[in-house]
Amino acid sequence: MSGTEIEVSAGRTNFPRDRLALQMSTAGIVHDLGNLIQVASSALNHLGRDPNIATAPGAVNVIAGAKSALERAGCLVRQTIRTAKEIEGVIAHANVAICLADVHSLVRSAWNENIHLEVRVGSNIPLVRCDRVGLQNAVLNLLFNARDAMPDGGLISVRASLSENSDQVDLCVEDHGIGMTSETMVRAFDLFFTTKGDGLGGVGLPMVKRFVEESGGSIDLESTLGSGTVVTLKLPAIR
């Protein structure tokens, strides 16, 4: 895809380290919970508009999606408690294919029909060194951003492949929405920076960046105004 490309590597920050960690920890938890609650609320709204909930086609899948979202919200709360108690855990190994399948199932039951999600995972993708729930939340953040960038609907593509040197897995989320200007791209990972008219946002991308860097990876951002955006998470592969 043509356009300006930005690579964000580990260790760069515009804030003092301790202050940034505190801000992002607090804001990020609220933001991720908001995304998950949004999924659950959308699913329940679908049920509420159906006069025959018990016999409505697909009702079981919608309810399952809502429950899954709330379970993930609970996981975030438990992670926060563990962090507050300074309990150091071992970084888990995540199966990218399974994570993406779960995310696909989650959003499919709640999104409007004008948004189409395509997920493609290459063969022989190894495990990646990161937290499974963290990876799913990162992908959800990118999907919500992609959806918001396409107010008239369209296709969102998620692709996972092994890098040429086989030491990392590249996970790309691509939309064909409004894209970004070069000025917006420069600030895209700044905490609380947003172009949304209602003032909401500015937390998702910084949280995704932090998650990837803490997992030992990096994140690329590529965008063309009027054509769309591609965000690539580069996560360490485990052999």
Side-chain angles (χ1 to χ4, degrees):
M1 181 177 180
S2 61
T4 308
E5 183 174 353
I6 293 178
E7 179 172 346
V8 181
S9 58
R12 297 181 186 175
T13 180
N14 295 324
F15 297 86
R17 188 175 184 84
D18 291 343
R19 179 185 174 191
L20 178 65
L22 178 60
Q23 284 182 297
M24 296 188 72
S25 178
T26 303
I29 291 166
V30 174
H31 183 78
D32 285 339
L33 284 174
N35 279 346
L36 296 170
I37 291 171
Q38 185 180 156
V39 172
S41 297
S42 296
L44 293 176
N45 286 337
H46 279 289
L47 290 177
R49 290 194 294 267
D50 197 312
N52 301 303
I53 295 177
T55 59
V60 174
N61 291 334
V62 174
I63 293 173
K67 289 181 178 179
S68 182
L70 293 176
E71 287 173 0
R72 285 180 171 80
C75 287
L76 284 173
V77 173
R78 290 191 292 273
Q79 287 179 346
T80 305
I81 295 174
R82 288 197 297 268
T83 301
K85 293 181 178 179
E86 298 182 348
I87 298 177
E88 184 177 357
V90 177
I91 295 180
H93 301 163
N95 185 309
V96 174
I98 293 177
C99 285
L100 292 182
D102 288 346
V103 170
H104 189 203
S105 176
L106 180 65
V107 301
R108 181 179 55 190
S109 63
W111 277 11
N112 294 330
E113 295 181 354
N114 65 341
I115 297 290
H116 303 283
L117 179 61
E118 176 186 71
V119 178
R120 289 184 292 171
V121 180
S123 59
N124 300 321
I125 297 293
L127 298 176
V128 292
R129 182 181 179 272
C130 69
D131 174 70
R132 177 182 61 84
V133 175
L135 177 58
Q136 290 176 330
N137 285 329
V139 174
L140 277 173
N141 272 314
L142 297 179
L143 290 179
F144 278 114
N145 284 349
R147 180 202 61 180
D148 293 343
M150 300 190 302
D152 297 324
L155 175 66
I156 301 174
S157 299
V158 182
R159 303 183 301 274
S161 60
L162 190 61
S163 65
E164 292 183 1
N165 56 11
S166 300
D167 67 346
Q168 67 183 24
V169 172
D170 296 337
L171 198 162
C172 302
V173 177
E174 179 178 7
D175 67 67
H176 300 280
I178 58 178
M180 303 182 193
T181 64
S182 56
E183 292 80 9
T184 298
M185 289 183 66
V186 169
R187 300 195 59 191
F189 294 101
D190 289 354
L191 187 60
F192 302 127
F193 171 75
T194 180
T195 58
K196 295 180 179 180
D198 55 12
L200 300 176
V203 177
L205 276 178
M207 285 304 301
V208 173
K209 173 179 176 288
R210 183 187 182 202
F211 161 76
V212 172
E213 291 180 349
E214 288 182 343
S215 301
S218 62
I219 181 169
D220 288 353
L221 174 64
E222 185 181 354
S223 186
T224 302
L225 188 62
S227 297
T229 300
V230 180
V231 181
T232 303
L233 309 184
K234 299 182 177 183
L235 297 167
I238 296 175
R239 291 295 186 180

